[in-house]
Amino acid sequence: MAQQADITAMRRAVELAARGLGATSPNPVVGCVIADASGHVVGEGFHQRAGGPHAEVHALREAGVLARGGTAYVTLEPCNHTGRTGPCAQALIEAGVSRVVYAVGDPNPQATGGADTLRAAGAQVEQGLLEAEAEAGNIAWLTSVRHGRPFVRWKYAATLDGRIAAADGTSRWITSADSRADVHRLRAEADAVVVGSGTARADDPHLAVRGIEGAVQPLRVVVDTEATAVQPGARVLDDAAPTLIAIADDAGTSLDGADVVRLPRAERGLSVPALLDALHARGVRSVLLEGGPTLAGAFVAAGAVDQVVGYLAPVLLGAGPNALAEAGIGTITEALRLDVTETVRVGPDLRITATPHLTATFKGA
């Protein structure tokens, strides 16, 4: 059974890892804490950006010679390969660390094996401490490795009776300024923000992150099947962040100079699996789906929603569009059941986070 000191150190490593959210893609977020031989914390670090030193290297640099004979607590199994940086397993061995405790095994076949390398060098290695917490913090990268596609978080804002706009189409503002600021946090953690043509026409959204210092701007993606929704001068075409317009492979020409990807059509709109494949090929490991009910329904129908974040305002409208449109669900037995993982007050609103019971799998294009 883990000692309280081990739990405390690993929980700190999980907190450190979260500091890298939105900045490390296509790499994972990782945190590391080094304790010396007497159990005192002497080094901390986290993976700050892709191509930069890994968490273990930052922590070892801070610990210096005090790492020898000590324990390393890492949220992900130390890597065992040389890429843009050297193998962390070897760095721990060279530093003289005698014990390594990691939370989640590395599912990447190119990097796994660090635990075996450490054991072969005589280190004591333990796996699984706070595994659920560490996995939750790194779920985007883990999903991308395990399923070969980005992790998809669907965000919506609605009234307590599920409306995203009034009967006349007005929707600003259903939720509070606190909730809207919180959405920028979600954008900052994502590699890409995706909306559909309906949102592009109705709202002319900007989609860039505001109010978060040092945030890496996500790729702004507009699913514009017929290549008609994004017009010259649209806010999404400014230079605040990169933008990609996804159109049908048989659609007419799109905007001159815009970054465009052509994708196959589905029964409604574009193929969701093809869109996610295209984004994954561009290094996108996490998607924030901010599109309206039609696009959200297409993602749900494709089995491509991994997490739902709903902002519910204490407001009633009684009429107006629902948060989710046709999603391929015809009867109550086909309903997508969710597990609520968090409920938080955000100003006057309620933020509910939930995940599908089963791991999302594509139902086809």
Side-chain angles (χ1 to χ4, degrees):
M1 186 174 182
Q3 299 294 316
Q4 185 57 49
D6 291 339
I7 295 172
T8 299
M10 185 62 80
R11 185 154 286 132
R12 174 60 177 165
V14 172
E15 293 172 357
L16 289 166
R19 295 184 182 181
L21 284 170
T24 65
S25 191
N27 294 347
V29 294
V30 183
C32 179
V33 170
I34 305 289
D36 64 16
S38 62
H40 294 98
V41 173
V42 292
E44 295 184 340
F46 66 97
H47 186 38
Q48 300 175 13
R49 59 179 178 82
H54 290 186
E56 295 93 324
V57 173
H58 283 297
L60 287 170
R61 286 175 179 172
E62 187 173 290
V65 296
L66 296 177
R68 184 164 300 277
T71 299
Y73 301 89
V74 196
T75 56
L76 185 68
E77 179 184 2
C79 67
N80 198 43
H81 79 302
T82 299
R84 285 184 283 183
T85 60
C88 291
Q90 190 60 41
L92 291 167
I93 292 168
E94 292 174 358
V97 171
S98 62
R99 178 173 174 246
V100 177
V101 181
Y102 67 93
V104 180
D106 193 334
N108 184 351
Q110 294 180 324
T112 192
D116 292 337
T117 296
L118 287 160
R119 289 190 183 98
Q124 178 185 346
V125 181
E126 303 166 25
Q127 176 187 354
L129 181 62
L130 300 189
E131 183 174 13
E133 292 182 28
E135 175 143 346
N138 210 16
I139 192 62
W141 181 82
L142 290 168
T143 296
S144 74
V145 173
R146 291 166 178 167
H147 302 293
R149 64 166 178 83
F151 172 84
V152 177
R153 171 184 284 146
W154 171 40
K155 183 263 350 172
Y156 71 93
T159 63
L160 204 57
D161 56 341
R163 308 294 179 174
I164 61 169
D168 65 355
T170 56
S171 62
R172 296 187 178 181
W173 297 101
I174 285 176
T175 53
S176 65
D178 301 271
S179 289
R180 297 195 297 276
D182 197 56
V183 169
H184 283 278
R185 175 187 60 83
L186 296 184
R187 286 182 183 177
E189 293 179 1
D191 297 333
V193 179
V194 179
V195 299
S197 57
T199 300
R201 288 191 184 94
D203 299 338
D204 187 22
H206 191 228
L207 302 181
V209 177
R210 298 188 300 276
I212 298 180
E213 185 177 354
V216 176
Q217 291 291 347
L219 175 68
R220 300 177 292 188
V221 182
V222 180
V223 180
D224 186 7
T225 305
E226 305 300 339
T228 58
V230 181
Q231 297 296 318
R235 297 173 69 212
V236 79
L237 295 177
D238 68 11
D239 59 2
T243 300
L244 176 68
I245 303 173
I247 66 176
D249 50 15
D250 60 351
T253 58
S254 187
L255 292 167
D256 291 338
D259 190 4
V260 174
V261 60
R262 291 182 177 270
L263 300 173
R265 292 179 182 268
E267 184 177 342
R268 294 172 296 146
L270 298 181
S271 164
V272 170
L275 172 63
L276 292 178
D277 284 346
L279 293 177
H280 195 263
R282 290 170 178 254
V284 171
R285 297 297 179 262
S286 60
V287 165
L288 180 63
L289 177 62
E290 289 198 39
T294 300
L295 187 61
F299 270 72
V300 171
V305 171
D306 300 294
Q307 187 182 77
V308 179
V309 179
Y311 293 85
L312 299 182
V315 175
L316 298 176
L317 285 174
N322 294 312
L324 184 66
E326 165 60 34
I329 299 169
T331 181
I332 193 66
T333 58
E334 298 173 351
L336 181 60
R337 304 285 178 176
L338 307 175
D339 291 319
V340 174
T341 57
E342 184 184 54
T343 56
V344 177
R345 284 288 297 270
V346 181
D349 307 322
L350 182 65
R351 186 186 72 214
I352 299 177
T353 304
T355 57
H357 276 313
L358 301 176
T359 300
T361 56
F362 285 143
K363 298 177 183 177

